[in-house]
C-alpha cells in the first residue's frame, strides 16, 4: 500500500493537532453526555453533536474506534473482492469522516461524499481532512443532509453506514438501508458489537438481501444467520491505540482498547465469501486450539485443531477473531 495513504497513525496525528489546547474537563463533560446517548435506547430527532465542543469530544472519544471498525469491515470486503475498487463512496451519517479515512486508506483515488445533519461535525471533519495531508481526504465533499429523509441517495460504488442506525427510528432505518441498497454496488453497515447493535445489523442484512444484494462478509453465505435470536450475537473486535488525549478524555490508563462491533457487507457484483469465519476469540490450550466457526453450510461449529494437524495447527495458533478459516493453502 502507498505509504502516503491515511492510516491510524495519521488520524491520531491530525486529531492531536486539531484538539491541542482543548480543556480536558470540558471534553470529559461532553464525552459523558455522548456516552449516555451512545448507550441509550431512544432514537433522537436532533443531531447528537450540537456544537464544536461536542464534536471535538466525539472525535477524541469515538473517531479512532470507528475508523478501526470500518477498516476491519473494508478489509473483509477487499478479501472477498480483491480486484474491485470503488471510484465513488458515500458515507451516510459520516460525522467527522472516520469512514472516509478508512476508505482513503484502503483504495487510492476513491471520491468520497460525507452526508451528515450536524454542521459542526462536517466543519471539524473538513479541518481534520486538511491536516491529514492526503489528497483524497482534502477532496472529500462534505454535505449537510437530514439522514433518512428526502430523496434517495445518489448512485455510488460504495455506501457506508457506520454507527448511525441506532440514532434512527425503525421506519427511518429501513428507508435508509433500502436507499443504500438502491444506490450502491457495495454496502457496508457497522454497528456497536452489542446484542441490539447486532439486531440492527441483521435487520439491515435481511433488507439488503431482499433488495437483490448478496452477502460478502462476514458471513460465508446469504442464508439466514444460524444464531438463534436472543441466545447470542455475532460481533468482532478491533484493537485501537489510544493517544494521551484519548486516555485523558476517556479516563483510561491503558495504551489501547478493544472496539467491539457488528457489521455486514453486501454487494451487487460477484464476490467470494470466506469458506468459514472465526466468530469468537480462539482458545489456545496445551497442544490444541479451539475455533468457533460460522460455515458455508449455514451452521455454527466448534473445530479442535491439534498438533497432529501440522501446518494447520500452526496456522490456528496465529489466527485471530474475525479471520477467514482455513488460511489459503491449508486444508481443514
Amino acid at each position: 500500500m502507498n505509504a502516503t495513504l491515511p492510516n491510524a497513525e495519521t488520524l491520531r496525528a491530525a486529531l492531536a493537532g486539531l484538539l491541542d489546547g482543548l480543556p480536558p474537563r470540558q471534553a470529559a463533560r461532553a464525552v459523558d453526555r455522548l456516552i449516555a446517548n451512545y448507550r441509550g435506547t431512544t432514537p433522537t430527532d436532533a443531531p447528537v453533536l450540537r456544537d464544536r465542543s461536542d464534536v471535538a469530544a466525539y472525535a477524541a472519544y469515538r473517531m479512532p474506534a470507528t475508523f478501526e471498525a470500518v477498516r476491519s469491515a473494508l478489509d473483509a470486503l477487499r478479501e472477498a473482492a480483491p480486484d474491485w475498487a470503488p471510484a465513488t463512496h458515500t458515507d451516510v451519517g459520516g460525522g467527522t469522516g472516520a469512514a472516509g479515512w478508512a476508505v482513503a486508506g484502503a483504495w487510492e483515488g476513491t471520491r468520497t461524499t460525507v452526508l451528515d445533519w450536524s454542521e459542526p461535525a462536517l466543519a471539524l471533519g473538513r479541518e481534520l481532512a486538511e491536516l491529514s495531508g492526503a489528497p483524497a481526504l482534502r477532496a472529500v465533499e462534505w454535505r449537510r443532509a437530514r439522514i433518512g429523509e428526502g430523496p434517495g441517495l445518489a448512485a455510488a460504488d460504495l455506501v457506508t453506514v457506520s454507527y448511525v442506525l441506532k440514532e434512527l427510528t425503525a421506519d427511518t432505518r429501513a428507508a435508509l438501508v433500502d436507499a443504500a441498497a438502491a444506490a450502491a454496488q457495495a454496502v457496508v453497515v457497522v454497528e456497536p458489537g452489542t446484542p441490539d447493535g447486532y439486531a440492527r445489523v441483521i435487520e439491515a442484512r435481511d433488507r439488503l438481501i431482499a433488495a437483490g444484494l448478496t452477502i460478502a462478509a462476514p458471513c460465508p453465505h446469504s442464508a439466514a444467520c444460524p444464531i438463534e435470536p436472543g441466545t447470542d450475537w455475532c460481533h468482532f473486535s478491533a484493537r485501537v491505540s489510544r493517544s494521551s488525549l484519548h486516555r485523558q478524555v476517556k479516563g483510561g490508563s491503558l495504551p489501547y482498547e478493544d472496539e467491539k462491533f457488528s457489521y455486514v457487507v453486501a454487494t451487487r457484483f460477484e464476490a467470494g465469501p470466506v469458506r468459514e469465519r472465526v466468530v469468537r476469540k480462539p482458545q489456545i490450550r496445551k497442544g490444541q486450539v479451539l475455533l468457533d466457526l460460522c460455515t458455508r453450510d449455514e451452521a455454527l461449529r466448534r473445530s479442535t485443531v491439534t498438533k497432529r494437524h501440522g501446518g494447520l495447527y500452526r496456522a490456528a495458533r496465529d489466527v485471530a477473531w474475525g479471520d477467514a478459516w482455513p488460511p489459503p493453502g491449508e486444508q481443514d
Side-chain angles (χ1 to χ4, degrees):
M1 179 177 290
N2 190 319
T4 65
L5 297 182
N7 54 32
E9 288 71 26
T10 54
L11 175 58
R12 284 197 299 273
L15 282 168
L18 190 63
L19 303 177
D20 185 34
L22 177 71
R25 288 185 179 179
Q26 180 183 1
R29 285 195 298 270
V31 163
D32 287 343
R33 188 183 67 78
L34 292 171
I35 289 175
N37 183 283
Y38 180 72
R39 293 177 178 170
T41 58
T42 303
T44 178
D45 60 359
V48 174
L49 305 177
R50 302 175 301 189
D51 54 32
R52 186 178 175 85
S53 64
D54 273 2
V55 174
Y58 167 82
Y61 165 53
R62 284 299 310 162
M63 198 172 175
T66 300
F67 168 84
E68 292 294 353
V70 176
R71 184 194 58 76
S72 295
L74 296 179
D75 283 349
L77 171 55
R78 296 171 70 200
E79 181 181 37
D83 297 325
W84 181 81
T88 54
H89 164 228
T90 300
D91 184 22
V92 182
T96 53
W101 280 71
V103 167
W107 296 283
E108 292 189 71
T110 304
R111 300 188 307 278
T112 289
T113 299
V114 176
L115 306 179
D116 201 273
W117 59 357
S118 170
E119 182 56 44
L122 295 170
L124 189 136
R126 291 187 195 98
E127 294 180 52
L128 283 172
E130 285 297 319
L131 289 170
S132 73
L137 289 174
R138 288 178 168 176
V140 168
E141 180 180 355
W142 304 85
R143 187 184 304 167
R144 191 175 186 187
R146 194 170 180 87
I147 305 306
E149 296 185 6
L153 299 172
D157 294 326
L158 172 65
V159 170
T160 55
V161 184
S162 55
Y163 297 91
V164 172
L165 298 182
K166 182 182 179 65
E167 300 176 19
L168 307 175
T169 63
D171 288 346
T172 307
R173 284 199 302 268
L176 174 55
V177 173
D178 290 348
Q185 294 300 304
V187 178
V188 175
V189 176
V190 182
E191 283 286 294
T194 59
D196 61 318
Y198 161 72
R200 289 189 294 274
V201 167
I202 286 296
E203 290 174 3
R205 182 184 187 274
D206 290 344
R207 298 196 76 88
L208 292 169
I209 293 170
L213 283 73
T214 57
I215 303 304
C219 322
H221 57 80
S222 295
C225 177
I227 296 175
E228 183 180 346
T231 64
D232 203 351
W233 70 99
C234 182
H235 65 293
F236 302 92
S237 180
R239 179 62 52 92
V240 182
S241 296
R242 285 172 161 176
S243 66
S244 58
L245 176 61
H246 194 197
R247 292 196 297 272
Q248 278 185 336
V249 170
K250 296 193 72 171
S253 58
L254 292 175
Y256 65 88
E257 64 180 355
D258 291 319
E259 170 70 4
K260 304 298 193 304
F261 64 97
S262 296
Y263 77 98
V264 65
V265 178
T267 66
R268 288 198 177 275
F269 52 84
E270 185 175 354
V274 299
R275 179 174 142 193
E276 297 178 322
R277 178 83 63 185
V278 180
V279 293
R280 287 290 180 271
K281 185 177 180 180
Q283 300 179 44
I284 300 178
R285 300 178 179 174
K286 186 175 181 180
Q288 62 181 10
V289 181
L290 307 182
L291 300 177
D292 291 305
L293 303 168
C294 184
T295 71
R296 282 188 181 172
D297 60 3
E298 307 165 26
L300 300 171
R301 74 179 182 95
R302 166 70 62 85
S303 176
T304 301
V305 186
T306 66
K307 284 185 175 180
R308 66 182 178 83
H309 291 100
L312 197 65
Y313 171 72
R314 292 188 291 273
R317 290 184 60 85
D318 292 332
V319 77
W321 182 8
D323 284 353
W325 185 259
E330 299 287 353
Q331 297 297 319
D332 195 1

